[in-house]
Amino acid sequence: MSLLPIQRALVMDTDSSTRLFITESLKTFGIPHVEDYATETLSLTRFLRGGFDLAIFDLRIWSSPVAPGGPTVVVATNPSAPNDFGVILKAQRQGADTLLEKPFTKWLLLHRLEALLATPAAKRLKLVELPTSRFRLGAMREHSF
């Protein structure tokens, strides 16, 4: 399974188990390079150097807004995402392309990322072409359980 054109991702979450869950899920989805950080200082320093197609930030510790319309698709996460209008506004002000409520499953994360690839946010990503046989192989593995 592959989420191309996403090749490089950055994850910021203070909870080590959540950070590991997201990182390993992204690798399972076929994203070859995933970096994860526990603090905003380290993650945003790395993020600002560029080169990431996807960034997933915990909204509770994310305080520095990113420029909307940049080359990175940004996902904000928060435990009270859909129920708190203030959280939704904060995510928008921070430059997030979407907001995901915690806890979430690996498959919900996958579907949210796939949905993002169909939005204007995905047009900012670099496009990569692959042989179609690779996509068929991933689809067969996904449905063979």
Side-chain angles (χ1 to χ4, degrees), residues 12-14 37-40 58-64 90:
M12 177 185 69
D13 201 300
T14 55
Y37 298 94
T39 67
E40 181 184 38
D58 184 334
L59 199 55
R60 293 174 296 173
I61 59 171
W62 176 25
S63 64
S64 302
K90 181 179 180 184

Side-chain angles (χ1 to χ4, degrees), residues 33-94:
H33 183 81
V34 181
E35 295 181 24
D36 64 274
Y37 298 94
T39 67
E40 181 184 38
T41 305
L42 289 173
S43 62
L44 288 180
T45 299
R46 184 66 182 103
F47 177 77
L48 292 174
R49 291 184 191 156
F52 291 98
D53 300 314
L54 170 69
I56 300 177
F57 294 142
D58 184 334
L59 199 55
R60 293 174 296 173
I61 59 171
W62 176 25
S63 64
S64 302
V66 298
T72 305
V73 173
V74 179
V75 176
T77 63
N78 192 282
S80 60
N83 303 321
D84 187 343
F85 190 66
V87 170
I88 295 167
L89 286 176
K90 181 179 180 184
Q92 289 174 340
R93 283 192 309 268
Q94 297 297 84

Side-chain angles (χ1 to χ4, degrees), residues 72-126:
T72 305
V73 173
V74 179
V75 176
T77 63
N78 192 282
S80 60
N83 303 321
D84 187 343
F85 190 66
V87 170
I88 295 167
L89 286 176
K90 181 179 180 184
Q92 289 174 340
R93 283 192 309 268
Q94 297 297 84
D97 293 299
T98 192
L99 182 58
L100 190 59
E101 181 181 19
K102 288 180 179 179
F104 49 85
T105 65
K106 179 166 95 169
W107 299 114
L108 179 60
L109 176 61
L110 173 65
H111 292 300
R112 183 64 60 91
L113 293 175
E114 287 175 335
L116 270 175
L117 291 176
T119 68
K123 291 182 177 32
R124 300 188 314 253
L125 296 173
K126 302 175 294 269

